[in-house]
Amino acid sequence: DPETANNTYIEQIVASAKAAIDKAAEMGVTDPNRVGVGGHSYGAFMTANLLSHSRLFRAGFAESGAYNRTLTPFGFQNETRTFWDVPDLYARMSPFWHANQVKDPILLMHGEMDDNPGTFPIQSERFYMALKGFGATVRYVTFPYEAHGYAARETLLHVIAEKIAWFDKYVKNAPPRTSTAGAQGNQN
């Protein structure tokens, strides 16, 4: 039901990610212990949720995301219920509220002039501070004069260089995991 689909959002994205990794491993095109995840805007939000609710990925990058859904209290994406209608849902879907559960490295990037009302830079700033407070491996990069969609050639090249360096370090060249956490989904 579109009205209540977000009630099982976390379970849906973790199960979907695990199914995709399992299928890619079955096809022989990936090492399931060396997979990264990333996205921009809603994709950044999904990335942060996957890293805070599973150990499926070795690292992630998140660009211009919304990590505290209480800062978008009148709905978001396909969620039409307000924060006051379903406060527990807004908390559950907010990676910020689960920053203490992020165990794998995350690269946050944000345009300093993000004009999207749901993804003002404060979203990344506060998520970064929460992650640092819990000792997570995190890097936060900002882009001056950039809005929600990055436009400058220099910025786009910088973003690519950051992603490659991050994934080279934390996915491609990461040491083997010492536990079975990499093969498991939800670790709550």
Side-chain angles (χ1 to χ4, degrees), residues 10 20 40 75 81 114 120 172:
I10 299 299
H40 180 89
R81 297 169 291 179
D114 193 325
F120 289 141
K172 180 181 174 183

Coordinates of all heavy atoms in Angstrom, one line a residue, residues 10 20 40 75 81 114 120 172:
I10 N 12.9 0.1 6.0 CA 14.3 -0.4 6.4 C 14.4 -1.8 5.9 O 15.4 -2.2 5.3 CB 14.5 -0.2 7.9 CG1 14.5 1.3 8.3 CG2 15.9 -0.9 8.3 CD1 15.5 2.2 7.6
A20 N 20.4 -8.3 -4.2 CA 21.2 -7.8 -5.3 C 22.7 -8.3 -5.2 O 23.3 -8.8 -6.1 CB 21.2 -6.3 -5.4
H40 N 23.0 10.0 -4.5 CA 22.8 11.4 -4.3 C 21.4 11.7 -3.9 O 20.5 11.0 -4.4 CB 23.1 12.1 -5.7 CG 22.9 13.6 -5.7 ND1 23.9 14.4 -5.4 CD2 21.8 14.3 -6.0 CE1 23.5 15.7 -5.5 NE2 22.2 15.6 -5.8
G75 N 6.3 15.6 5.3 CA 6.4 14.6 4.3 C 7.6 14.7 3.5 O 8.4 15.6 3.5
R81 N 2.2 11.3 5.1 CA 1.9 11.5 6.6 C 2.9 12.5 7.2 O 4.1 12.5 6.8 CB 1.9 10.2 7.3 CG 0.9 9.2 6.8 CD 1.0 7.8 7.4 NE 2.2 7.2 6.8 CZ 2.7 6.0 7.2 NH1 2.0 5.2 8.0 NH2 3.8 5.5 6.6
D114 N 23.0 24.3 -1.2 CA 21.9 23.4 -1.6 C 20.6 24.1 -1.3 O 20.3 24.6 -0.2 CB 22.0 22.2 -0.7 CG 21.1 21.0 -1.2 OD1 20.0 21.3 -1.7 OD2 21.5 19.9 -1.1
F120 N 19.0 20.8 3.0 CA 19.9 21.9 3.3 C 21.2 21.3 3.9 O 21.1 20.2 4.5 CB 19.3 22.9 4.3 CG 18.1 23.7 3.7 CD1 17.0 24.0 4.5 CD2 18.2 24.2 2.4 CE1 16.0 24.8 3.9 CE2 17.2 25.0 1.9 CZ 16.1 25.3 2.6
K172 N 38.0 -1.7 -2.2 CA 39.0 -2.5 -3.1 C 40.1 -3.0 -2.3 O 40.5 -4.2 -2.4 CB 39.4 -1.6 -4.2 CG 40.4 -2.2 -5.2 CD 40.8 -1.2 -6.2 CE 41.9 -1.8 -7.1 NZ 42.3 -0.8 -8.1

